[in-house]
Amino acid sequence: MFKNIHIYHAIFTIILVYFLTSCKSHVRSITDYSSQKSIQADHAMVASAHPIATKIGLDILKKGGNAVDAAIAVQFALAVCYPNAGNIGGGGFMVLRQSNGDCATLDFREKAPAKAHRDMFLDEEGNAIIEKSQYGRLAAGTPGTVDGMVQAFEKYSKLKNWGILIQPSIDLAAGGYAITQREADNLNEEQNNFIKYNRFDTPFHKNSWKKGDIISHPDLAKTLQRIKKRGRSGFYEGETAKCIVREMNAGGGIISLEDLKNYRAVWRAPLITTYKGNKIIGMPPPSSGGLCLSQLLKMIEPYNLSQMGFQSAEYVHLIVEAERRVYADRAKHMGDADFYPVPVKMLIDSTYISSRMVDFDKSKASISKNITHGSAQSEETTHFCIVDSEGNAASVTTTLNGSYGAFTVVKGAGFLLNNEMDDFSIKPGTPNMYGLIGSEANKIEPNKRMLSSMTPTIIEKDGKLLMVVGTPGGSTIITSVLQTIVNVLEFDMTIADAVHAPRFHHQWVPDHIFVEKSAIYQSAREQLKSMGHSIKERGNIGRVEGILIKNGKLQGAADIRGDDDVRGF
Ligand code: DON
């Protein structure tokens, strides 16, 4: 009898060991990868903030998936390997152009929960409580990413296999991956926030992270498994929804089961404008990105920029004066057009644009105090670009808002909450974390979407795809996209040079030109100062990804400012 038990036990142990080792090899940690910053390819390309996500997207393209299939796979992968901004607890915008020229945009921006109200981030004296709009549960809007991906899949997927798009991210979350030096530094820097804004030891907790350490996300793997199995209900209902509401009830949060059940991403008509014969396809409100980019391009269109020269004082002055005026308009007129009458047509009308630049003095800086918005006649995010072998293109910017969002991980579900509520104007004139101010148009209202600067963009020339571009960077997103486009169209740069070139930024208030260390030669800086500009050096501006189609080839660039990576075949 006992002898038999020993035999059964031995057989059972052998089977168990075999099972565990085969499982383990199935979810092996990913340790061997590196970033590639530029490439040329014949058929298809992916550029994203992380090499693992880029590879996952490229594998989908190689399996015959189209740009949307790859975009969905990359979005879920970034939620695992790039938790600063990749997300399922946040939102974003997708701009699409099909090879036949049809365009579409998808708004999967977060919404204010139904219990949100205008003064929810003010104390009794009416002072803004920044900590509440930027950290922890109350800072979170109802997440939009999962419904966005489901809707994109239903409308455009070629593979028609939802599971195949998510499985690589489930494996990645379960098996883990080795972190880069940059991520180790970020995690070490933010340890106190992870400790302060969580009630348990999240996968991000550790005394000291170093390059090569493995991070895995078992709870996130389970959540992704539920999304794989049940689509939107795997997130907005059932176990995941219960985890989110339990997290809210643990203190301070207001997202309810109803908010989750009611959330829907929205297909919106693209905002289309032209610049010197190029068709610019951008995101309409609730992003200010497409609108501000259109205004900027229209304001600078009459000028010969290539003659002025890259980052000459004359060029920087023109761009800065246009930016000053556009950001004043943004603060006054822009918000969620489902709640506030954003005068889109007026803001890009050519007579209006000329009137805004009528007081532009070629030799002197304006003063932001004297520049107000025009009137009507009557602040880690991440971007990825994909082109498939049929010439369909996807440009997607997605975010939790700040790096690691609200820092709060949903217990049991393993993902970070966004802190997107800070993108509302929490009090007129009070700057948000990117120094942006706003007013009535962008006040908090239940179920409203907060104004964004995200600027996923696609450019077409003579009916053909020319460029796919976008970036993170809060308020600097719009101006970084603008400069990358101008670098290519006006200064004839390769996409790699255009993406890697140093950048500058002005946003009306505060009244400074912010410059990267290597931007704008000293002589031009002196000239700008003598015109009345104030110049302030700061760290990196944006992390641009771009794909350019030139002579029938795809040329891609991933920003040197991060671990970003571009690959193609
Ligand atoms: O939607 C927006 O404009 C901001 N939430 C974007 C934040 C961002 O780009 C942060 N990245 N550096």
Side-chain angles (χ1 to χ4, degrees), residues 343-374:
V344 175
K345 268 201 183 131
M346 174 201 94
L347 291 170
I348 48 176
D349 174 79
S350 49
T351 318
Y352 174 80
I353 293 286
S354 318
S355 75
R356 293 294 280 143
M357 286 297 271
V358 86
D359 57 350
F360 168 61
D361 182 337
K362 280 189 179 165
S363 58
K364 214 166 116 219
S366 321
I367 298 168
S368 284
K369 266 200 314 235
N370 302 336
I371 296 278
T372 172
H373 53 84

mmCIF file of all heavy atoms in Angstrom, residues 343-374:
data_model
loop_
_atom_site.group_PDB
_atom_site.id
_atom_site.type_symbol
_atom_site.label_atom_id
_atom_site.label_comp_id
_atom_site.label_asym_id
_atom_site.label_seq_id
_atom_site.Cartn_x
_atom_site.Cartn_y
_atom_site.Cartn_z
ATOM 1 N N PRO A 343 -15.102 77.330 -29.877
ATOM 2 C CA PRO A 343 -15.274 77.928 -31.217
ATOM 3 C C PRO A 343 -14.219 77.434 -32.210
ATOM 4 O O PRO A 343 -13.360 78.191 -32.667
ATOM 5 C CB PRO A 343 -15.131 79.432 -30.933
ATOM 6 C CG PRO A 343 -14.265 79.508 -29.732
ATOM 7 C CD PRO A 343 -14.482 78.270 -28.924
ATOM 8 N N VAL A 344 -14.292 76.146 -32.544
ATOM 9 C CA VAL A 344 -13.247 75.506 -33.356
ATOM 10 C C VAL A 344 -13.072 76.231 -34.694
ATOM 11 O O VAL A 344 -11.951 76.584 -35.082
ATOM 12 C CB VAL A 344 -13.587 74.012 -33.595
ATOM 13 C CG1 VAL A 344 -12.580 73.361 -34.534
ATOM 14 C CG2 VAL A 344 -13.632 73.265 -32.269
ATOM 15 N N LYS A 345 -14.178 76.466 -35.384
ATOM 16 C CA LYS A 345 -14.103 77.088 -36.720
ATOM 17 C C LYS A 345 -13.448 78.450 -36.641
ATOM 18 O O LYS A 345 -12.585 78.790 -37.443
ATOM 19 C CB LYS A 345 -15.519 77.238 -37.291
ATOM 20 C CG LYS A 345 -15.932 76.072 -38.130
ATOM 21 C CD LYS A 345 -17.063 76.497 -39.062
ATOM 22 C CE LYS A 345 -17.534 75.308 -39.852
ATOM 23 N NZ LYS A 345 -18.979 75.173 -39.833
ATOM 24 N N MET A 346 -13.899 79.250 -35.651
ATOM 25 C CA MET A 346 -13.346 80.593 -35.501
ATOM 26 C C MET A 346 -11.840 80.544 -35.248
ATOM 27 O O MET A 346 -11.068 81.291 -35.848
ATOM 28 C CB MET A 346 -14.020 81.308 -34.327
ATOM 29 C CG MET A 346 -13.404 82.657 -34.026
ATOM 30 S SD MET A 346 -13.756 83.205 -32.361
ATOM 31 C CE MET A 346 -12.335 82.660 -31.462
ATOM 32 N N LEU A 347 -11.413 79.614 -34.395
ATOM 33 C CA LEU A 347 -10.012 79.601 -33.976
ATOM 34 C C LEU A 347 -9.052 79.263 -35.120
ATOM 35 O O LEU A 347 -7.872 79.617 -35.063
ATOM 36 C CB LEU A 347 -9.818 78.611 -32.816
ATOM 37 C CG LEU A 347 -10.464 79.046 -31.490
ATOM 38 C CD1 LEU A 347 -10.445 77.909 -30.479
ATOM 39 C CD2 LEU A 347 -9.745 80.268 -30.908
ATOM 40 N N ILE A 348 -9.554 78.593 -36.156
ATOM 41 C CA ILE A 348 -8.655 78.290 -37.280
ATOM 42 C C ILE A 348 -9.044 79.038 -38.562
ATOM 43 O O ILE A 348 -8.482 78.791 -39.625
ATOM 44 C CB ILE A 348 -8.547 76.761 -37.551
ATOM 45 C CG1 ILE A 348 -9.922 76.108 -37.592
ATOM 46 C CG2 ILE A 348 -7.680 76.087 -36.523
ATOM 47 C CD1 ILE A 348 -9.879 74.626 -37.947
ATOM 48 N N ASP A 349 -9.984 79.967 -38.407
ATOM 49 C CA ASP A 349 -10.396 80.787 -39.546
ATOM 50 C C ASP A 349 -9.234 81.711 -39.964
ATOM 51 O O ASP A 349 -8.561 82.296 -39.107
ATOM 52 C CB ASP A 349 -11.614 81.617 -39.118
ATOM 53 C CG ASP A 349 -12.036 82.604 -40.180
ATOM 54 O OD1 ASP A 349 -12.697 82.159 -41.132
ATOM 55 O OD2 ASP A 349 -11.666 83.796 -40.078
ATOM 56 N N SER A 350 -8.993 81.838 -41.267
ATOM 57 C CA SER A 350 -7.794 82.569 -41.705
ATOM 58 C C SER A 350 -7.848 84.057 -41.331
ATOM 59 O O SER A 350 -6.807 84.635 -40.988
ATOM 60 C CB SER A 350 -7.560 82.387 -43.205
ATOM 61 O OG SER A 350 -8.739 82.636 -43.897
ATOM 62 N N THR A 351 -9.041 84.661 -41.337
ATOM 63 C CA THR A 351 -9.124 86.083 -40.942
ATOM 64 C C THR A 351 -8.789 86.221 -39.460
ATOM 65 O O THR A 351 -8.067 87.135 -39.040
ATOM 66 C CB THR A 351 -10.558 86.614 -41.190
ATOM 67 O OG1 THR A 351 -11.013 86.104 -42.432
ATOM 68 C CG2 THR A 351 -10.616 88.111 -41.173
ATOM 69 N N TYR A 352 -9.311 85.285 -38.664
ATOM 70 C CA TYR A 352 -9.035 85.317 -37.226
ATOM 71 C C TYR A 352 -7.535 85.140 -36.971
ATOM 72 O O TYR A 352 -6.932 85.879 -36.183
ATOM 73 C CB TYR A 352 -9.834 84.214 -36.513
ATOM 74 C CG TYR A 352 -9.495 84.101 -35.048
ATOM 75 C CD1 TYR A 352 -10.052 84.976 -34.116
ATOM 76 C CD2 TYR A 352 -8.606 83.124 -34.586
ATOM 77 C CE1 TYR A 352 -9.723 84.889 -32.770
ATOM 78 C CE2 TYR A 352 -8.274 83.032 -33.252
ATOM 79 C CZ TYR A 352 -8.831 83.902 -32.347
ATOM 80 O OH TYR A 352 -8.495 83.810 -31.011
ATOM 81 N N ILE A 353 -6.934 84.176 -37.672
ATOM 82 C CA ILE A 353 -5.498 83.902 -37.485
ATOM 83 C C ILE A 353 -4.677 85.151 -37.823
ATOM 84 O O ILE A 353 -3.779 85.542 -37.064
ATOM 85 C CB ILE A 353 -5.055 82.703 -38.361
ATOM 86 C CG1 ILE A 353 -5.717 81.408 -37.873
ATOM 87 C CG2 ILE A 353 -3.545 82.558 -38.431
ATOM 88 C CD1 ILE A 353 -5.181 80.828 -36.587
ATOM 89 N N SER A 354 -5.015 85.803 -38.942
ATOM 90 C CA SER A 354 -4.269 87.029 -39.306
ATOM 91 C C SER A 354 -4.465 88.098 -38.240
ATOM 92 O O SER A 354 -3.515 88.806 -37.882
ATOM 93 C CB SER A 354 -4.741 87.611 -40.642
ATOM 94 O OG SER A 354 -4.946 86.610 -41.562
ATOM 95 N N SER A 355 -5.694 88.195 -37.701
ATOM 96 C CA SER A 355 -5.947 89.241 -36.707
ATOM 97 C C SER A 355 -5.134 88.993 -35.440
ATOM 98 O O SER A 355 -4.688 89.911 -34.780
ATOM 99 C CB SER A 355 -7.440 89.332 -36.383
ATOM 100 O OG SER A 355 -7.819 88.242 -35.561
ATOM 101 N N ARG A 356 -4.911 87.721 -35.104
ATOM 102 C CA ARG A 356 -4.131 87.400 -33.897
ATOM 103 C C ARG A 356 -2.668 87.805 -34.066
ATOM 104 O O ARG A 356 -1.976 88.082 -33.095
ATOM 105 C CB ARG A 356 -4.185 85.890 -33.595
ATOM 106 C CG ARG A 356 -5.523 85.365 -33.180
ATOM 107 C CD ARG A 356 -5.973 85.913 -31.839
ATOM 108 N NE ARG A 356 -5.376 85.252 -30.694
ATOM 109 C CZ ARG A 356 -5.017 85.881 -29.584
ATOM 110 N NH1 ARG A 356 -5.139 87.181 -29.478
ATOM 111 N NH2 ARG A 356 -4.518 85.210 -28.558
ATOM 112 N N MET A 357 -2.167 87.779 -35.318
ATOM 113 C CA MET A 357 -0.745 88.084 -35.546
ATOM 114 C C MET A 357 -0.543 89.541 -35.989
ATOM 115 O O MET A 357 0.576 89.939 -36.299
ATOM 116 C CB MET A 357 -0.170 87.132 -36.596
ATOM 117 C CG MET A 357 0.054 85.710 -36.090
ATOM 118 S SD MET A 357 1.259 85.576 -34.740
ATOM 119 C CE MET A 357 2.783 85.380 -35.669
ATOM 120 N N VAL A 358 -1.636 90.330 -35.993
ATOM 121 C CA VAL A 358 -1.523 91.683 -36.545
ATOM 122 C C VAL A 358 -0.548 92.552 -35.736
ATOM 123 O O VAL A 358 0.143 93.409 -36.275
ATOM 124 C CB VAL A 358 -2.943 92.311 -36.695
ATOM 125 C CG1 VAL A 358 -3.417 92.985 -35.428
ATOM 126 C CG2 VAL A 358 -3.021 93.209 -37.888
ATOM 127 N N ASP A 359 -0.447 92.279 -34.430
ATOM 128 C CA ASP A 359 0.465 93.072 -33.591
ATOM 129 C C ASP A 359 1.830 92.383 -33.429
ATOM 130 O O ASP A 359 2.622 92.757 -32.576
ATOM 131 C CB ASP A 359 -0.172 93.344 -32.214
ATOM 132 C CG ASP A 359 -0.541 92.050 -31.497
ATOM 133 O OD1 ASP A 359 -0.492 90.964 -32.137
ATOM 134 O OD2 ASP A 359 -0.876 92.110 -30.300
ATOM 135 N N PHE A 360 2.111 91.386 -34.272
ATOM 136 C CA PHE A 360 3.421 90.724 -34.214
ATOM 137 C C PHE A 360 4.493 91.692 -34.717
ATOM 138 O O PHE A 360 4.415 92.200 -35.830
ATOM 139 C CB PHE A 360 3.399 89.447 -35.065
ATOM 140 C CG PHE A 360 4.759 88.851 -35.315
ATOM 141 C CD1 PHE A 360 5.550 88.415 -34.263
ATOM 142 C CD2 PHE A 360 5.262 88.726 -36.613
ATOM 143 C CE1 PHE A 360 6.811 87.871 -34.492
ATOM 144 C CE2 PHE A 360 6.518 88.188 -36.855
ATOM 145 C CZ PHE A 360 7.292 87.751 -35.785
ATOM 146 N N ASP A 361 5.474 91.978 -33.847
ATOM 147 C CA ASP A 361 6.552 92.905 -34.203
ATOM 148 C C ASP A 361 7.814 92.050 -34.422
ATOM 149 O O ASP A 361 8.275 91.368 -33.501
ATOM 150 C CB ASP A 361 6.739 93.892 -33.042
ATOM 151 C CG ASP A 361 7.812 94.925 -33.327
ATOM 152 O OD1 ASP A 361 8.699 94.647 -34.178
ATOM 153 O OD2 ASP A 361 7.779 95.994 -32.704
ATOM 154 N N LYS A 362 8.358 92.117 -35.650
ATOM 155 C CA LYS A 362 9.502 91.263 -35.990
ATOM 156 C C LYS A 362 10.727 91.503 -35.116
ATOM 157 O O LYS A 362 11.615 90.669 -35.021
ATOM 158 C CB LYS A 362 9.899 91.500 -37.453
ATOM 159 C CG LYS A 362 9.013 90.748 -38.418
ATOM 160 C CD LYS A 362 9.597 90.862 -39.799
ATOM 161 C CE LYS A 362 8.731 90.085 -40.765
ATOM 162 N NZ LYS A 362 8.976 90.394 -42.147
ATOM 163 N N SER A 363 10.768 92.705 -34.487
ATOM 164 C CA SER A 363 12.004 93.040 -33.784
ATOM 165 C C SER A 363 11.837 93.066 -32.269
ATOM 166 O O SER A 363 12.785 93.331 -31.543
ATOM 167 C CB SER A 363 12.492 94.408 -34.257
ATOM 168 O OG SER A 363 11.471 95.352 -34.004
ATOM 169 N N LYS A 364 10.613 92.793 -31.791
ATOM 170 C CA LYS A 364 10.405 92.980 -30.348
ATOM 171 C C LYS A 364 9.479 91.915 -29.776
ATOM 172 O O LYS A 364 8.458 91.575 -30.388
ATOM 173 C CB LYS A 364 9.757 94.360 -30.141
ATOM 174 C CG LYS A 364 10.173 95.043 -28.871
ATOM 175 C CD LYS A 364 9.792 96.513 -28.876
ATOM 176 C CE LYS A 364 8.789 96.732 -27.758
ATOM 177 N NZ LYS A 364 7.731 97.618 -28.059
ATOM 178 N N ALA A 365 9.837 91.433 -28.575
ATOM 179 C CA ALA A 365 8.962 90.455 -27.920
ATOM 180 C C ALA A 365 7.698 91.141 -27.419
ATOM 181 O O ALA A 365 7.757 92.272 -26.937
ATOM 182 C CB ALA A 365 9.692 89.835 -26.731
ATOM 183 N N SER A 366 6.554 90.465 -27.550
ATOM 184 C CA SER A 366 5.347 90.961 -26.883
ATOM 185 C C SER A 366 5.478 90.621 -25.406
ATOM 186 O O SER A 366 6.327 89.819 -25.014
ATOM 187 C CB SER A 366 4.089 90.276 -27.397
ATOM 188 O OG SER A 366 4.143 90.080 -28.757
ATOM 189 N N ILE A 367 4.593 91.186 -24.606
ATOM 190 C CA ILE A 367 4.593 90.848 -23.185
ATOM 191 C C ILE A 367 3.306 90.083 -22.924
ATOM 192 O O ILE A 367 2.213 90.543 -23.286
ATOM 193 C CB ILE A 367 4.655 92.134 -22.320
ATOM 194 C CG1 ILE A 367 5.967 92.867 -22.631
ATOM 195 C CG2 ILE A 367 4.548 91.823 -20.836
ATOM 196 C CD1 ILE A 367 6.049 94.264 -22.097
ATOM 197 N N SER A 368 3.441 88.895 -22.306
ATOM 198 C CA SER A 368 2.256 88.033 -22.161
ATOM 199 C C SER A 368 1.119 88.739 -21.422
ATOM 200 O O SER A 368 -0.046 88.516 -21.712
ATOM 201 C CB SER A 368 2.621 86.730 -21.451
ATOM 202 O OG SER A 368 3.290 85.894 -22.365
ATOM 203 N N LYS A 369 1.481 89.607 -20.453
ATOM 204 C CA LYS A 369 0.443 90.340 -19.703
ATOM 205 C C LYS A 369 -0.455 91.135 -20.647
ATOM 206 O O LYS A 369 -1.631 91.359 -20.373
ATOM 207 C CB LYS A 369 1.117 91.329 -18.732
ATOM 208 C CG LYS A 369 1.316 90.755 -17.352
ATOM 209 C CD LYS A 369 1.518 91.836 -16.297
ATOM 210 C CE LYS A 369 2.491 92.892 -16.719
ATOM 211 N NZ LYS A 369 3.621 93.254 -15.970
ATOM 212 N N ASN A 370 0.158 91.620 -21.755
ATOM 213 C CA ASN A 370 -0.609 92.450 -22.700
ATOM 214 C C ASN A 370 -1.308 91.634 -23.778
ATOM 215 O O ASN A 370 -2.045 92.183 -24.586
ATOM 216 C CB ASN A 370 0.310 93.461 -23.405
ATOM 217 C CG ASN A 370 1.009 94.341 -22.409
ATOM 218 O OD1 ASN A 370 0.508 94.506 -21.299
ATOM 219 N ND2 ASN A 370 2.161 94.875 -22.773
ATOM 220 N N ILE A 371 -0.983 90.346 -23.818
ATOM 221 C CA ILE A 371 -1.615 89.490 -24.834
ATOM 222 C C ILE A 371 -2.747 88.752 -24.155
ATOM 223 O O ILE A 371 -2.551 88.062 -23.157
ATOM 224 C CB ILE A 371 -0.605 88.448 -25.387
ATOM 225 C CG1 ILE A 371 0.529 89.136 -26.120
ATOM 226 C CG2 ILE A 371 -1.301 87.413 -26.270
ATOM 227 C CD1 ILE A 371 0.267 89.543 -27.540
ATOM 228 N N THR A 372 -3.947 88.939 -24.708
ATOM 229 C CA THR A 372 -5.034 88.161 -24.139
ATOM 230 C C THR A 372 -5.540 87.225 -25.232
ATOM 231 O O THR A 372 -5.037 87.249 -26.353
ATOM 232 C CB THR A 372 -6.117 89.099 -23.575
ATOM 233 O OG1 THR A 372 -7.224 88.320 -23.193
ATOM 234 C CG2 THR A 372 -6.559 90.150 -24.569
ATOM 235 N N HIS A 373 -6.518 86.411 -24.884
ATOM 236 C CA HIS A 373 -7.107 85.519 -25.883
ATOM 237 C C HIS A 373 -7.851 86.333 -26.925
ATOM 238 O O HIS A 373 -8.297 87.442 -26.658
ATOM 239 C CB HIS A 373 -8.083 84.582 -25.180
ATOM 240 C CG HIS A 373 -9.094 85.327 -24.358
ATOM 241 N ND1 HIS A 373 -10.247 85.848 -24.896
ATOM 242 C CD2 HIS A 373 -9.074 85.686 -23.055
ATOM 243 C CE1 HIS A 373 -10.919 86.466 -23.941
ATOM 244 N NE2 HIS A 373 -10.231 86.390 -22.822
ATOM 245 N N GLY A 374 -8.037 85.760 -28.116
ATOM 246 C CA GLY A 374 -8.870 86.404 -29.115
ATOM 247 C C GLY A 374 -10.319 86.210 -28.720
ATOM 248 O O GLY A 374 -10.634 85.383 -27.865
#
